[in-house]
């Protein structure tokens, strides 16, 4: 009998005594791919109710049922951090979403900047990458992936209480850091491979809530920059300490 090693995200309330129906895809994964049978255990989370151990009560080709046994972890929410990034090539965009989910971003927002190449994204595909990353990293939260939005519109409607860590490649090598900036609601902004346009940079520099930051003396690729910025933010203001 398999002891719970598999972690599965489900869109179903989780609690003592609950039974959780499985979708066709989930049944295929658990019984077809992972070869689980009756009585085998999995860990479940739904992004709200923590993590629960459950056992297989019914197993079929097109569905099945899990019975919840006990809670194994409390719900843990990430800091209130959004990652705004300009989508790049598919594999690199997938990487950014996966890393942001692992590193504790609360929301992942692809943004269209002047030099962004991608005109559209597959939000549902990116969302499933975020789910897989949460399943793999032991998290109980799955960040929401937003639809592609224009950066200028997003900045025009910016919430009063949120700070922006503006990662500006023009500052590479400068001593601009997050420093002593406070506040608990933040967003990180990473530009596309082509960088920010002069007009975007001027606008961003004029915004009170935007904090221009350097990520060191070298120009990083956008996917590297996203991971570095998340690391720096988590270390200085996030839930690492
Ligand atoms: N084509 C641009 C580089 C863009 S790098 C140029 O050659 O100047 C992609 C994004 O990563 C940038 O828009 C920025 O948000 C971030 N980035 C990369 N290196 C950085 C650095 N050293 N400091 C701050 N941001 C950086």
């Amino acid at each position: 009998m398999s002891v719970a090693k598999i972690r599965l995200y489900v869109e179903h309330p989780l609690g003592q005594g609950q039974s959780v129906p499985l979708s066709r895809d989930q049944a295929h994964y658990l019984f077809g791919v992972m070869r689980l049978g009756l009585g085998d255990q999995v860990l479940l989370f739904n992004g709200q109710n923590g993590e629960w151990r459950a056992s297989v009560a019914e197993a079929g080709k097109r569905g099945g049922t899990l019975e919840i046994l006990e809670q194994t972890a409390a719900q843990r929410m990430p800091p209130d951090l959004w990652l705004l990034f300009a989508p790049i090539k598919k594999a690199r965009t997938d990487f950014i979403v996966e890393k942001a989910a692992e590193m504790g971003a609360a929301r992942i927002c692809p943004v269209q900047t002047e030099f962004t190449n991608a005109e559209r994204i597959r939000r549902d595909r990116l969302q499933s990458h975020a789910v897989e990353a949460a399943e793999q990293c032991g998290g109980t939260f799955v960040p929401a992936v937003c639809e592609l939005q224009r950066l200028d519109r997003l900045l025009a409607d910016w919430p009063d209480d949120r700070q922006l860590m503006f990662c500006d490649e023009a500052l590479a090598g400068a001593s601009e850091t997050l420093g002593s900036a406070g506040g608990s609601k933040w967003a990180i902004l990473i530009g596309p491979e082509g960088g920010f346009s002069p007009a975007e940079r001027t606008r961003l520099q004029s915004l009170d809530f935007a904090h221009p930051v350097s990520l060191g003396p070298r120009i990083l690729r956008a996917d590297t920059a996203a991971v570095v910025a998340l690391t720096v933010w988590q270390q200085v203001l996030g839930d690492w300490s």
Side-chain angles (χ1 to χ4, degrees):
M1 191 176 292
S2 121
V3 212
K5 259 188 249 135
I6 298 171
R7 297 185 84 244
L8 193 66
Y9 171 80
V10 291
E11 285 178 3
H12 195 274
L14 299 177
Q16 205 66 52
Q18 280 275 2
S19 47
V20 180
L22 293 170
S23 69
R24 198 189 174 109
D25 284 352
Q26 288 165 334
H28 172 72
Y29 172 66
L30 292 183
F31 312 133
V33 181
M34 302 310 291
R35 301 268 158 212
L36 296 195
L38 292 181
D40 284 343
Q41 296 184 4
V42 292
L43 295 169
L44 301 179
F45 66 105
N46 63 3
Q48 291 166 38
N49 303 137
E51 183 193 76
W52 296 76
R53 190 191 311 281
S55 72
V56 177
E58 284 169 7
K61 276 211 160 61
R62 290 184 203 87
T65 313
L66 302 175
E67 298 290 346
I68 291 202
L69 304 172
E70 57 171 349
Q71 185 159 23
T72 43
Q75 180 63 31
R76 182 175 175 145
M77 302 304 274
D80 193 345
L81 174 66
W82 302 350
L83 176 68
L84 275 43
F85 73 99
I88 40 178
K89 289 203 190 91
K90 190 168 149 292
R92 290 181 186 272
T93 298
D94 292 352
F95 174 93
I96 291 177
V97 170
E98 182 183 287
K99 299 309 152 202
E102 284 178 61
M103 294 189 67
R107 183 182 273 261
I108 301 173
C109 305
V111 293
Q112 198 157 16
T113 65
E114 285 189 43
F115 298 157
T116 301
N117 307 328
E119 303 265 297
R120 60 176 68 93
I121 54 152
R122 286 276 313 276
R123 199 208 67 82
D124 54 342
R125 221 176 48 84
L126 294 179
Q127 185 67 68
S128 49
H129 281 300
V131 167
E132 277 168 33
E135 287 174 342
Q136 171 273 318
C137 76
T140 47
F141 177 83
V142 179
V145 179
C146 315
E147 287 294 352
L148 185 62
Q149 304 169 72
R150 282 179 49 168
L151 177 64
D152 54 355
R153 300 218 182 117
L154 197 60
L155 293 176
D157 289 335
W158 196 256
D160 289 344
D161 55 351
R162 190 170 295 273
Q163 312 292 316
L164 181 68
M165 174 177 172
F166 162 38
C167 300
D168 184 1
E169 68 278 2
L171 294 175
S175 55
E176 304 288 341
T177 65
L178 262 188
S180 57
S184 59
K185 297 186 179 185
W186 275 83
I188 291 171
L189 174 61
I190 302 291
E193 293 300 356
F196 293 102
S197 74
E200 282 170 338
R201 181 166 291 113
T202 306
R203 171 147 191 228
L204 282 158
Q205 280 164 348
S206 74
L207 299 170
D208 286 346
F209 55 81
H211 304 262
V213 166
S214 160
L215 301 177
R218 290 160 289 269
I219 304 276
L220 308 173
R221 298 192 75 130
D223 45 348
T224 317
V227 173
V228 170
L230 285 158
T231 309
V232 168
W233 191 91
Q234 284 287 26
Q235 177 78 33
V236 176
L237 292 166
D239 62 8
W240 287 13
S241 47

